[in-house]
Every structure is written in C-alpha cells, then in structure tokens.
Amino acid sequence: MSFGERVNQFDAWLLDRIFQPFADALPERLPAMEVGMSFQVGSIVLSAASISALLVLEGMTLDNVITNLLGWFFEVIFYIGIHRLRGMVRPGYQNPLRVMLAGMRPISIPFAVYAFYQALTAERVYELALWFNSLSQLVFVAGIYLISCNMPPPGHRARQTFGRGPLPNEIG
C-alpha cells in the first residue's frame, strides 16, 4: 500500500469513525454542516486574533505579517466558497463536499500539528499569538471534517432507539 493510499485510508477512518458518528448524534435543528461552518468562522476569528497579537503585542509591522494576512484572506475566501456550495448538501443524500474536500482534509492535519508544535516551542514573546494560531488550525480541521459529513435524512432521530429494546407497552 502506498503512502497516498494510507493517508486516504486514515482520512476515511477519521471521517467515518470519529466525525460522522458525532454528526449523527447532533440534534436535527443543528446539522453538522452548520456546526462545521461555525467552526470555520471561529477559525477565521482566531487567526485574526493571532495576527492582531503579532501586530499589537509584539510590535511587528504589516511588512512582517504580510504572509499571515494573505493566509487569512485565503481562509476567508475558502469560507465564502464553502458557503456558496452548502446548498448542494441535502439531508439523506451523499454529501458532495465529502469528495470535493478529500484533498484538503488530510493536508490540514499536518498544518495543525505543526502550528501546535510552533506554539509549544515558541519564544515567550510570540507564545500568545502562536497559541491563537494553533487553536485556529485545530478548529479549522474539526470544521472541515464536520462540513464533509453526510446529513442524515429527516426524522432519523425519531427512528433511533439508542440501544434500548422495546418497552412492554410498545410490543404489539
């Protein structure tokens, strides 16, 4: 098995075994797509806080954080693109974003791990900004996986018994 196949296998495992059961357990009024989009907004806000901390607390200039600003704009553009595509996701059908984001999901994990490593090993002066950045990356990963989850059909919660057998008055 090649490295790429192993990465895709891990991505499918993470999506099907961790995030999809979580998405299925969410109430119908709060679908995984909405939670994932909220996570994406949270990631954008945390990333902006990280950049602001670099500018205000560390006294950096705009020239020093231009790469961070460009990355932040890409996050906003990504959010806008997913927001426009959210109409394609319908309850009871396969989520088309699951396939469309198949390359983005596994790549986002090493970036989050690296951001966490940076925050752990940062000099004290950059520590706050880098912790905001690492939290932003973790929230982004969780959001992109939740956005990729299938939405269960309407009324699926009413049909679930959650492991209990029928009650005596339910036996026909």
Side-chain angles (χ1 to χ4, degrees):
M1 181 181 291
S2 71
F3 179 72
E5 290 169 340
R6 287 179 197 258
V7 168
N8 289 338
Q9 187 180 31
F10 175 72
D11 175 56
W13 177 85
L14 197 59
L15 188 57
D16 293 335
R17 301 287 183 204
I18 305 296
F19 286 96
Q20 189 63 52
F22 176 77
D24 291 342
L26 290 171
E28 281 189 40
R29 68 183 187 288
L30 187 65
M33 182 66 165
E34 297 301 319
V35 175
M37 292 301 285
S38 295
F39 275 37
Q40 294 301 311
V41 170
S43 174
I44 290 170
V45 170
L46 287 167
S47 185
S50 172
I51 294 169
S52 299
L54 286 172
L55 287 170
V56 175
L57 299 175
E58 274 61 302
M60 292 190 158
T61 64
L62 233 45
D63 293 340
N64 297 35
V65 293
I66 193 72
T67 305
N68 299 45
L69 283 174
L70 289 174
W72 186 81
F73 282 120
F74 281 126
E75 288 180 42
V76 172
I77 291 168
F78 177 78
Y79 174 81
I80 292 169
I82 295 296
H83 184 70
R84 288 184 178 176
L85 294 174
R86 71 192 311 174
M88 295 171 51
V89 180
R90 297 180 301 170
Y93 291 93
Q94 181 75 20
N95 184 347
L97 297 178
R98 186 180 182 102
V99 177
M100 293 169 74
L101 297 174
M104 187 78 161
R105 286 188 311 263
I107 288 176
S108 66
I109 295 171
F111 280 103
V113 170
Y114 181 65
F116 187 71
Y117 170 76
Q118 277 184 319
L120 282 175
T121 60
E123 294 178 25
R124 185 118 175 104
V125 70
Y126 301 114
E127 195 171 354
L128 179 66
L130 291 176
W131 277 113
F132 274 126
N133 185 47
S134 65
L135 187 57
S136 168
Q137 293 297 320
L138 290 173
V139 169
F140 179 83
V141 170
I144 200 169
Y145 272 92
L146 286 170
I147 287 169
S148 299
C149 289
N150 293 320
M151 289 178 62
H156 101 290
R157 301 289 279 160
R159 291 192 303 266
Q160 287 183 340
T161 60
F162 296 104
R164 71 166 178 88
L167 297 174
N169 63 348
E170 294 176 338
I171 296 175

